[in-house]
Amino acid sequence: MPELPEVETTVRGLVPVLEGRRLTRVEARRADLRRAFPPDLRQRLTGAAVTGLGRRAKYGLIHTDRGDTLVFHLGMSGRWRIDPSDVGAHDHFLLGTDEGREVVLNDPRRFGSLDLVETATLDRWEPFAKMGPEPLGDDFAGAYLLRALDGRSAPIKALLLDQRVVAGLGNIYVCEALHMAGISPTRAGGRISRPRLERLVEAIKTVLVAAIEAGGSTLRDYARPDGELGYFSKQWRVYGREGESCGCGSMIRRRADSGRSTFFCPRCQRA
Ligand SMILES: [Zn+2]
């Protein structure tokens, strides 16, 4: 499942193909993914120039000179393919540029989404309206987290997954960052000291940046036809490593809570 670093890598991979180009071909090969595509999607995008790309949480943003932003979400299995040699059953949406290049959104499980939002109103768009700061932004700092968690008795892990506290963090990176910061996933958010929250913020930024760099190092593969954006293998500290040894000599454990698995080291993350 694509998380923030995969979305960031995807956006960076789309930039050389789309940025500054005019969209000469826009093809929706079905009417929906998780929800219906905007009915005027093709009309509003065809002939528009892409002025820039960006990311908010786990959404990719493609801005146009018509004041519209195409917002994409990769859901569980979405990915963009670049200059595909053929277009198949799971390729649901295609953009072609005046340079003759093409990108297609491939999504076998169809949990992704495509929306067109007026660029000027993006911050007020429903999924973004109540979202917390970007984890890699300057606003996400120890002082902010101290305020956001003040008086909260919920486990820190659940609070970090709450998009109103911080945007775009998923299960894998929360497990990894809590391990790096040496904080128990079940610790009440409001009972973590300022210095430990500072460490946690640094750990979150570190694990995300490392993953984005890992993705970036695979970007060269996207230059070739049929390059697929969005997935790369990473080495985790605790995630998916139940029963393996942590660096401290203790065994990594897994706990199941509300449908998600938490991986942690009982020795490194005692409190
Ligand atoms: Zn350990």
Side-chain angles (χ1 to χ4, degrees):
M1 179 158 158
E3 295 220 30
L4 186 153
E6 286 85 353
V7 180
E8 179 67 29
T9 303
T10 295
V11 167
R12 291 182 189 186
L14 289 172
V15 165
V17 184
L18 295 179
E19 194 167 62
R21 307 316 317 178
R22 199 162 288 281
L23 301 174
T24 51
R25 195 167 155 218
V26 177
E27 198 181 306
R29 295 165 51 82
R30 54 179 296 121
D32 60 10
L33 284 173
R34 174 200 289 261
R35 56 178 172 268
F37 294 154
D40 52 356
L41 186 63
R42 184 157 170 254
Q43 182 196 334
R44 276 163 74 182
L45 289 177
T46 307
V50 175
T51 53
L53 290 92
R55 180 190 55 74
R56 175 73 169 122
K58 288 192 248 182
Y59 291 83
L61 310 173
I62 302 174
H63 307 298
T64 77
D65 63 350
R66 290 186 181 160
D68 284 327
T69 295
L70 177 65
V71 184
F72 68 84
H73 194 285
L74 298 173
M76 308 280 284
S77 60
R79 69 191 75 204
W80 286 91
R81 301 170 62 213
I82 297 200
D83 298 328
S85 51
D86 54 9
V87 176
H90 301 302
D91 294 320
H92 306 306
F93 181 71
L94 180 151
L95 291 173
T97 73
D98 52 358
E99 251 188 341
R101 302 196 67 184
E102 284 178 353
V103 292
V104 298
L105 180 61
N106 177 283
D107 187 355
R109 297 184 63 183
R110 304 206 304 261
F111 281 102
S113 61
L114 283 178
D115 292 282
L116 263 181
V117 184
E118 218 184 306
T119 309
T121 66
L122 265 178
D123 287 349
R124 303 198 295 276
W125 186 51
E126 202 269 325
F128 293 168
K130 290 191 175 124
M131 236 177 220
E134 283 291 317
L136 291 173
D138 293 339
D139 293 346
F140 185 63
Y144 163 78
L145 205 49
L146 189 69
R147 271 198 317 278
L149 303 185
D150 184 39
R152 306 288 298 267
S153 56
I156 182 64
K157 189 188 172 212
L159 291 166
L160 292 176
L161 289 171
D162 181 343
Q163 303 295 298
R164 291 165 296 189
V165 173
V166 54
L169 283 189
N171 195 38
I172 296 174
Y173 294 96
V174 168
C175 289
E176 294 289 294
L178 285 170
H179 181 263
M180 185 179 272
I183 294 172
S184 165
T186 56
R187 177 90 177 168
R191 300 200 53 209
I192 303 173
S193 69
R194 169 82 181 255
R196 298 183 80 210
L197 289 179
E198 303 273 7
R199 271 214 298 284
L200 178 57
V201 165
E202 281 318 301
I204 289 167
K205 291 178 194 273
T206 300
V207 296
L208 291 175
V209 166
I212 291 167
E213 279 170 2
S217 68
T218 66
L219 268 179
R220 57 189 147 72
D221 295 340
Y222 307 153
R224 64 182 167 79
D226 273 338
E228 289 184 353
L229 300 181
Y231 296 82
F232 40 88
S233 55
K234 288 165 292 251
Q235 193 60 52
W236 305 121
R237 304 164 62 94
V238 285
Y239 190 82
R241 296 188 51 203
E242 180 185 15
E244 291 180 39
S245 172
C246 175
C248 70
S250 186
M251 200 101 92
I252 294 165
R253 289 211 193 134
R254 182 176 73 91
R255 186 198 320 262
D257 48 356
S258 55
R260 284 194 179 98
S261 283
T262 299
F263 295 90
F264 65 103
C265 170
R267 185 188 285 175
C268 296
Q269 297 171 262
R270 255 181 304 214

